[in-house]
Amino acid sequence: MVTDPVFGGLAISLIFGTVVSTALAVFVVPILYDLDARRRTRNLGAGDEIRPAGGGTMP
């Protein structure tokens, strides 16, 4: 194990960043996507259509 405090701090920040980014990608993004999809389908009225979130057109 490396005993240098600079590399120890770097290792901790890299591991923490990897854990947080993985948690965001696996849990937070799909939950937000599902909540947005539910909100969009709940707010549909007669004659409305679901549009892409980016504002573009669907093929």
Side-chain angles (χ1 to χ4, degrees):
M1 178 130 193
V2 178
T3 58
D4 188 7
V6 173
F7 289 116
L10 179 64
I12 290 172
S13 65
L14 285 173
I15 291 169
F16 182 73
T18 302
V19 168
V20 169
S21 64
T22 301
L24 284 173
V26 171
F27 298 111
V28 176
V29 172
I31 289 171
L32 290 177
Y33 183 82
D34 185 58
L35 289 174
D36 184 56
R38 289 179 188 211
R39 180 187 59 86
R40 286 175 181 267
T41 56
R42 185 181 59 221
N43 291 336
L44 284 179
D48 289 344
E49 62 183 47
I50 299 175
R51 298 183 184 205
T57 59
M58 294 176 56

